[in-house]
Amino acid sequence: FIDSLFRLIDRDEGATMARNKRIAVVINLDWTMKHHQEVFAGIQEYAQGRGWDSVLWPFPPKVTDDRGRRLYDGLIGRVHPKLASSAKAAGIPLVNVWISSPCKKVPLVAPDIHQAGRMAAEHLVARGFRRFGFVGYTRNTSTRWLREGFREVAREQGIPVSPLLVSPTFSESARSWSHFHDDLRRWIETLTLPVGVLGLTDKVARYTMNAATELGLSVPEDVAVVGMENEELVCLNPAPSITSIDLGWKRVGERAAELLGGLMGRAQPRAEPLLLPPVTLIPRRSTDSFTVDDPHVAQALRIIAEESHRPIKVRDVVAQVPLSWRSLERRFQVSRGTTLSKEITRFRIERAKRLLTETDMLVKQVAEASGFANTRRLCEVFKRLEGISPESYRQQRGT
């Protein structure tokens, strides 16, 4: 049947060049993780725009027929050694979207997990946390990259990091879950509070929060938690909601398909992985705390956070704190190493970045919603602090 089908579709080499490209997408969608769904969606969007025919395979497919003819023009997905070997033998271009794949010579497209680690650490530093915890998986590339970025910022700030590495199969049986839960509780009991914790996934972050509350600790006052993936069902339910990093997996799928298109057109494969910056960090209740020793500085920070969408000025903050302007500025310098004015600007820029990546608001509307006097002022400050314009920032993050 296969031979007859391909005789009709592909009578000669000329017909092969004329027909639509046919690719296999090797992703198991029975794995309900968001990033599998989004990678698949990104690949399909690009493939449909190019008129490609695509076939979904959860496991490595047969790539040639009984006569040794190629069944696909390209392959894309989670690349195992068997798939890499058969694709190479058949001369079929292949693109990997699996960070922990053992096939290191296959072109890889993935989020910049190292940058995500830095992003989480910078967020916790901005909230005043001076002790960090990290929960990840053993023998896992994403864990290694994330932890390196997280620890990099911690070293720059002189902040200690207490790690806990667990088996990625902890939820596959009642027994393994019990061991994981016990290890998590014991680890939390060793932490010096308050502490900011980064979890490899939103599920790990949720389990960390559960264990902390079981021990009588408060989230985020005692333990502030950041997750990764922005799995909204897990992040938003139950309360408290989880601050999380959106890695932009749909964009990974699109860029991986684009790379495959180039390879099918005889382009040379990339020597290095194509790592795409995370889309954004979405702050939620799990980090809605400002941990500083000075209660007046903490009060000022909360006012700034709550009012940064309005064009507030330093005097508006000072008016709500029982200190003189000079005293509050002096305490701010001691506790935060910065000024009230710079902190207000930082919160405004963070809000603008979220709006640029999470909405389709015009830049003028973003400026208004971030407390800037006008678009020109937003663009001036954004360029000075981020090195690029708001429009370029939005384009880089695929919005």
Side-chain angles (χ1 to χ4, degrees):
F1 175 79
I2 292 293
D3 286 347
S4 300
L5 178 63
F6 272 85
R7 274 196 296 272
L8 291 172
I9 297 175
D10 189 8
R11 292 183 181 279
D12 54 33
E13 191 65 26
T16 300
M17 297 300 293
R19 65 174 170 80
N20 290 342
K21 297 293 186 182
R22 189 168 191 266
I23 67 168
V25 181
V26 190
I27 293 177
N28 189 349
L29 292 184
D30 285 341
W31 289 19
T32 56
M33 290 182 291
K34 175 183 177 181
H35 83 255
H36 285 204
Q37 313 286 334
E38 289 197 350
V39 169
F40 179 66
I43 294 170
Q44 289 307 296
E45 187 170 299
Y46 188 91
Q48 290 169 11
R50 301 303 183 279
W52 297 353
D53 297 323
S54 62
V55 179
L56 177 64
W57 283 90
F59 302 103
K62 183 179 179 182
V63 300
T64 60
D65 63 16
D66 293 338
R67 296 186 179 184
R69 295 191 304 179
R70 301 189 308 177
L71 298 177
Y72 305 101
D73 297 291
L75 300 162
I76 186 170
R78 292 170 61 83
V79 178
H80 295 263
K82 179 181 177 181
L83 180 62
S85 176
S86 58
K88 182 178 180 180
I92 301 176
L94 178 64
V95 174
N96 200 356
V97 293
W98 180 21
I99 293 174
S100 295
S101 170
C103 306
K104 304 304 180 185
K105 294 185 178 181
V106 177
L108 171 69
V109 181
D112 190 340
I113 305 294
H114 180 276
Q115 183 60 34
R118 287 192 60 92
M119 186 181 291
E122 289 166 356
H123 176 73
L124 292 170
V125 168
R127 290 298 189 271
F129 288 91
R130 304 300 300 171
R131 289 174 287 273
F132 287 171
F134 176 85
V135 185
Y137 295 157
T138 56
R139 299 182 297 279
N140 178 269
T141 303
S142 291
T143 291
R144 179 165 53 82
W145 288 0
L146 186 68
R147 185 180 176 185
E148 287 173 355
F150 192 62
R151 295 181 71 176
E152 194 173 86
V153 172
R155 283 194 298 269
E156 293 168 2
Q157 299 290 328
I159 296 174
V161 180
S162 175
L164 174 66
L165 299 182
V166 301
S167 169
T169 61
F170 68 83
S171 61
E172 292 187 359
S173 70
R175 182 176 181 181
S176 61
W177 165 259
S178 179
H179 284 313
F180 161 72
H181 186 252
D182 290 345
D183 288 345
L184 190 56
R185 284 174 59 104
R186 282 193 291 267
W187 174 73
I188 292 173
E189 289 179 318
T190 69
L191 301 177
T192 302
L193 306 179
V195 62
V197 176
L198 172 60
L200 178 65
T201 67
D202 294 321
K203 288 189 293 184
V204 167
R206 176 63 70 188
Y207 297 144
T208 300
M209 290 164 58
N210 291 349
T213 55
E214 287 173 10
L215 293 168
L217 303 178
S218 297
V219 176
E221 290 76 15
D222 295 321
V223 182
V225 182
V226 179
M228 191 171 70
E229 299 290 3
N230 195 34
E231 295 267 6
E232 291 191 349
L233 183 63
V234 177
C235 288
L236 300 180
N237 302 282
S241 58
I242 302 173
T243 294
S244 186
I245 298 171
D246 187 341
L247 295 174
W249 283 103
K250 182 180 179 183
R251 187 181 51 185
V252 168
E254 293 170 350
R255 294 298 299 276
E258 180 183 4
L259 179 58
L260 181 63
L263 295 176
M264 291 190 296
R266 309 295 186 183
Q268 291 297 311
R270 292 177 58 93
E272 299 295 327
L274 174 57
L275 302 179
L276 307 178
V279 173
T280 191
L281 181 146
I282 300 95
R284 297 190 178 99
R285 181 72 183 96
S286 68
T287 58
D288 186 17
S289 175
F290 295 95
T291 304
V292 291
D293 294 331
D294 191 317
H296 297 299
V297 172
Q299 182 183 359
L301 285 169
R302 185 166 296 280
I303 293 167
I304 293 170
E306 292 174 351
E307 301 292 329
S308 60
H309 64 288
R310 300 194 301 108
I312 61 168
K313 300 183 181 300
V314 171
R315 64 173 175 266
D316 300 316
V317 178
V318 175
Q320 300 180 62
V321 179
L323 288 176
S324 68
W325 188 321
R326 180 175 296 179
S327 295
L328 184 57
E329 282 283 15
R330 185 170 57 250
R331 291 189 181 206
F332 229 84
Q333 283 285 359
V334 171
S335 297
R336 304 286 290 171
T338 187
T339 65
L340 278 161
S341 178
K342 288 181 179 178
E343 196 76 337
I344 291 171
T345 299
R346 188 183 67 78
F347 269 89
R348 285 177 176 160
I349 290 296
E350 287 303 311
R351 181 176 177 82
K353 287 162 66 175
R354 291 199 298 274
L355 293 174
L356 288 166
T357 55
E358 296 174 24
T359 75
D360 58 0
M361 294 170 65
L362 299 175
V363 174
K364 177 182 179 181
Q365 295 172 312
V366 171
E368 294 173 354
S370 303
F372 287 93
N374 50 51
T375 305
R376 181 180 60 80
R377 183 56 179 162
L378 167 63
C379 292
E380 288 176 354
V381 176
F382 203 99
K383 183 70 178 291
R384 173 166 55 84
L385 296 181
E386 300 296 323
I388 57 175
S389 69
E391 293 91 342
S392 297
Y393 181 86
R394 169 173 274 171
Q395 290 171 1
Q396 286 184 6
R397 282 147 182 82
T399 302

